[in-house]
Amino acid sequence: MKPITLALSSLALATSLALAGCSEPAPVKKANSDQVTASLVSGAEQRLDIYYPMDLSADLSHLTDRQRHMVELLIEASEIMDDLFWQQAYAGDKDQLLSQLDDSKVKRFTEINYGPWDRLNNDQPFLTGYADKPAGANFYPADMTKAEFEAADFAGKIDLYTLIRRDAAGKLYALPYHEAYRDQLTQAAELLREAAEFAQDPQFKQYLEMRADAFLSNEYQASDFAWMDMTENMVDVVIGPIESYEDQLYGYRAAFESYVLIKDLAWSERLAIYAQHLPELQRNLPVPAAYKAEVPGAGAQLNAYDVVYYAGHSNAGSKTIAINLPNDEQVQLEKGTRRLQLKNAMRAKFDAILVPIAEQLIVPEQRQHITFDAFFANTMFHEVAHGLGIKNLVNASGTVREALKEHASALEEGKADILGLYMVTQLLEAGVITEGALEDYYTTFLAGIFRSVRFGASSAHGKANMIRFNYFEQAGAFSRNADGLYSVNMDAMRSAMNSLSEKILTLQGDGDYAGVGELFDTMGNVGPQLQADLDRLAAAAIPVDITFNQGNHVLGLN
């Protein structure tokens, strides 16, 4: 495969998303007036440049003409997912909102955030006229209380693929996605079926056809199974309602998103050896046997990809650089999961963000241990760790996700981070991982906490990193010198890694909602010292995340 072309631009992006307005919107809650103004809140102008703009491109010359046209069609279907996510994230009229914004940087910042709330600043409004973002986004009626929802009894109440709305009498009911978004999902299904006609891999063809059917039936599990059966396809797409992070009220509703992907064969071959060690890693988790009794399917795959398009939830705020799917617990237990490493986007974050952070916050003598191999492995095994541990409660019926409600996603991210480092430790010492020394992975992991904690408390990843930073600090896993520079204490970090792994896995297996809430309350906040250090990163103009100029025109497909 030829080298990737990944152009990093210093110019703000001007390309706007081709999105439509919201159907059946709930009222947007205003702060003080009925008329939304287009001005920035005080201080918000300092946030407009926190995203590093880059052209998202890759070498497609090895693809056939049929495959290249298939990529075009998949990107068109992904644009529909982007539109649907706008409707889920923002209850107002998107076009009306954007039309009021004359400043191109303000408009672009609004597009990146899919609304007037700053996703990497705890969802605080950056435009005047808006109150705080509803925890339930536009999945629930704006005036619905938790008490009302929990007292109600109706079909589809906790279904991932429904909206909650009120009937003519004001009672709550569930509206399936395939009814709420019928026209757009029909169009997306047609595009997937057309793309299937150009698929050279029969399993990928079948997946596209089954995913198209799922858009119109609201039944996604069968297509998840089909996605797990694919092994040889060069082009891939992750598309549909998938993650539930946007629902911060309960974590019950899945948001629309998409990734269009091109497999990197050389890097995928490097990763294949790790998959055979996953059952042993599950057995060796530092937790009592009951909390690791589930055995994920042995068909788990580790592969590297170049991502050529992000849409919807995956494109909102901080950008995903690795994927572990599907989320369906039954599919995970029977088939395992697929772990997809998005190498080109990962490299961009490493170069533009992680290395500059290390130069500001890590002691000089340990900066040599900040390596891309370590960053790649830590990120990859974070995704591997999502498939390990426990999915169903140990001493009760039901799933961990249902029991922990709105806390489930953030705790799951915390589990994945800490167990990922545990796995790296085990595999490196067993000689399975041969690149670098353990100090590379631990030091890069510490620098990675500073990167992710900047995502803010509204992000599941940000919350997870705050907890880990505070836990590690109390355990002496790192030190901070008089110059404000951090260094890893290897033995103490290993001990903290093991104890935090056990704590999180136990909370999950017990479904301890109150215990998780206490953990977030006591350790899920940024203290004054850490905030001062994060302010140093902002003063040094180090971006918080990346944003994309992307699409068929960037890839040279139109």
Side-chain angles (χ1 to χ4, degrees):
M1 185 174 184
K2 294 184 179 180
I4 309 280
T5 300
L6 188 62
L8 300 179
S9 169
S10 60
L11 299 176
L13 301 180
T15 303
S16 61
L17 303 176
L19 304 172
C22 174
S23 62
E24 197 191 353
V28 178
K29 184 179 178 182
K30 307 291 174 28
N32 298 306
S33 70
D34 293 329
Q35 183 63 40
V36 178
T37 63
S39 60
L40 288 170
V41 302
S42 178
E45 64 278 357
Q46 300 176 13
R47 302 278 300 169
L48 298 180
D49 294 319
I50 66 172
Y51 291 92
Y52 191 90
M54 56 174 282
D55 290 343
L56 189 62
S57 60
D59 175 46
L60 305 183
S61 62
H62 61 292
L63 300 183
T64 67
D65 289 343
R66 292 177 63 85
Q67 288 173 321
R68 288 163 63 87
H69 182 58
M70 183 170 61
V71 170
E72 287 183 86
L73 294 169
L74 295 177
I75 288 176
E76 290 179 27
S78 299
E79 290 169 349
I80 296 174
M81 300 300 106
D82 206 79
D83 180 21
L84 294 177
F85 180 70
W86 259 102
Q87 297 180 43
Q88 293 178 318
Y90 176 63
D93 187 307
K94 183 220 58 165
D95 290 333
Q96 181 181 12
L97 169 64
L98 295 178
S99 70
Q100 299 176 73
L101 306 176
D102 296 328
D103 187 294
S104 61
K105 292 178 69 173
V106 176
K107 180 176 288 189
R108 180 58 187 154
F109 196 70
T110 306
E111 291 172 338
I112 291 170
N113 285 282
Y114 290 77
W117 300 285
D118 188 342
R119 290 174 177 270
L120 302 192
N121 189 28
N122 303 329
D123 276 333
Q124 292 299 303
F126 58 86
L127 295 176
T128 58
Y130 288 90
D132 291 343
K133 182 181 179 181
N138 195 28
F139 295 112
Y140 305 88
D143 61 349
M144 188 197 78
T145 65
K146 274 194 165 186
E148 179 188 13
F149 180 79
E150 290 168 6
D153 183 16
F154 55 90
K157 180 177 177 179
I158 62 172
D159 192 310
L160 282 167
Y161 312 121
T162 63
L163 302 172
I164 303 303
R165 295 293 184 254
R166 294 190 186 280
D167 62 18
K171 293 184 179 180
L172 299 177
Y173 73 99
L175 177 63
Y177 288 173
H178 72 301
E179 296 178 11
Y181 310 120
R182 184 182 305 278
D183 291 346
Q184 287 160 298
L185 288 175
T186 298
Q187 183 182 359
E190 291 173 353
L191 287 166
L192 291 191
R193 292 193 180 102
E194 185 178 355
E197 294 302 314
F198 291 87
Q200 294 174 295
D201 180 78
Q203 291 178 318
F204 188 48
K205 176 182 174 68
Q206 181 183 36
Y207 163 68
L208 291 176
E209 292 170 343
M210 294 180 71
R211 203 65 170 178
D213 291 343
F215 282 161
L216 304 182
S217 69
N218 226 39
E219 299 290 339
Y220 286 88
Q221 188 182 76
S223 59
D224 282 344
F225 274 111
W227 187 71
M228 282 301 301
D229 290 336
M230 299 187 309
T231 58
E232 304 301 325
N233 51 306
M234 181 66 68
V235 177
D236 204 346
V237 64
V238 175
I239 190 167
I242 300 171
E243 302 289 5
S244 59
Y245 302 130
E246 189 71 8
D247 177 7
Q248 296 186 41
L249 191 65
Y250 284 104
Y252 290 160
R253 263 71 226 177
F256 283 95
E257 62 185 315
S258 183
Y259 309 79
V260 181
L261 307 161
I262 312 298
K263 183 180 286 188
D264 186 319
L265 294 177
W267 274 72
S268 295
E269 289 175 2
R270 291 177 56 184
L271 305 183
I273 190 174
Y274 299 137
Q276 62 187 292
H277 295 276
L278 300 185
E280 180 182 1
L281 289 168
Q282 170 80 353
R283 290 192 297 270
N284 292 338
L285 290 175
V287 69
Y291 296 88
K292 55 185 177 182
E294 297 174 357
V295 180
Q301 303 174 41
L302 301 177
N303 287 293
Y305 294 82
D306 294 320
V307 57
V308 296
Y309 200 81
Y310 285 78
H313 177 265
S314 67
N315 195 43
S318 61
K319 308 302 184 292
T320 300
I321 54 178
I323 305 168
N324 177 73
L325 290 172
N327 288 327
D328 186 291
E329 291 90 352
Q330 183 179 350
V331 179
Q332 287 190 4
L333 291 174
E334 293 186 25
K335 293 279 190 176
T337 59
R338 289 176 61 195
R339 286 86 178 203
L340 295 75
Q341 315 308 306
L342 312 185
K343 186 170 66 66
N344 55 345
M346 197 182 299
R347 184 84 220 191
K349 288 199 183 191
F350 179 80
D351 291 339
I353 301 174
L354 193 67
V355 170
I357 285 175
E359 291 171 350
Q360 291 288 326
L361 294 182
I362 301 298
V363 294
E365 57 270 25
Q366 288 192 347
R367 289 175 195 166
Q368 62 182 312
H369 296 296
I370 306 293
T371 70
F372 181 70
D373 280 343
F375 181 58
F376 186 94
N378 287 342
T379 305
M380 176 180 66
F381 281 102
H382 165 104
E383 301 306 328
V384 172
H386 278 305
L388 301 184
I390 202 84
K391 305 297 177 188
N392 298 291
L393 301 179
V394 171
N395 295 313
S397 61
T399 66
V400 172
R401 178 181 61 83
E402 292 169 351
L404 298 185
K405 302 178 182 178
E406 74 273 18
H407 298 324
S409 292
L411 191 67
E412 176 64 21
E413 293 305 325
K415 179 203 81 172
D417 277 332
I418 200 66
L419 284 189
L421 189 63
Y422 174 83
M423 294 176 190
V424 167
T425 303
Q426 296 292 309
L427 292 176
L428 190 68
E429 294 183 342
V432 178
I433 296 177
T434 59
E435 297 87 4
L438 189 59
E439 195 167 3
D440 296 346
Y441 298 88
Y442 281 22
T443 308
T444 302
F445 188 85
L446 176 60
I449 294 178
F450 293 115
R451 182 185 71 87
S452 295
V453 80
R454 300 171 80 200
F455 295 161
S458 66
S459 158
H461 296 79
K463 287 180 183 178
N465 277 275
M466 291 177 199
I467 290 170
R468 188 167 53 262
F469 179 89
N470 290 320
Y471 191 96
F472 277 15
E473 183 178 43
Q474 292 182 14
F478 56 78
S479 303
R480 184 180 185 276
N481 65 20
D483 295 323
L485 300 177
Y486 292 79
S487 59
V488 172
N489 301 325
M490 294 293 290
D491 291 341
M493 179 171 274
R494 183 176 189 133
S495 178
M497 173 188 70
N498 289 334
S499 62
L500 183 57
S501 296
E502 182 176 13
K503 183 176 185 67
I504 291 176
L505 287 168
T506 302
L507 287 169
Q508 286 187 319
D510 292 343
D512 188 352
Y513 178 84
V516 177
E518 181 181 3
L519 180 66
F520 287 164
D521 289 342
T522 57
M523 291 194 175
N525 303 299
V526 176
Q529 185 64 75
L530 175 57
Q531 186 58 58
D533 291 332
L534 297 179
D535 291 343
R536 287 162 51 197
L537 300 179
I542 297 173
V544 179
D545 209 75
I546 55 180
T547 189
F548 304 121
N549 179 26
Q550 59 175 355
N552 284 324
H553 65 290
V554 176
L555 297 170
L557 293 177
N558 284 339

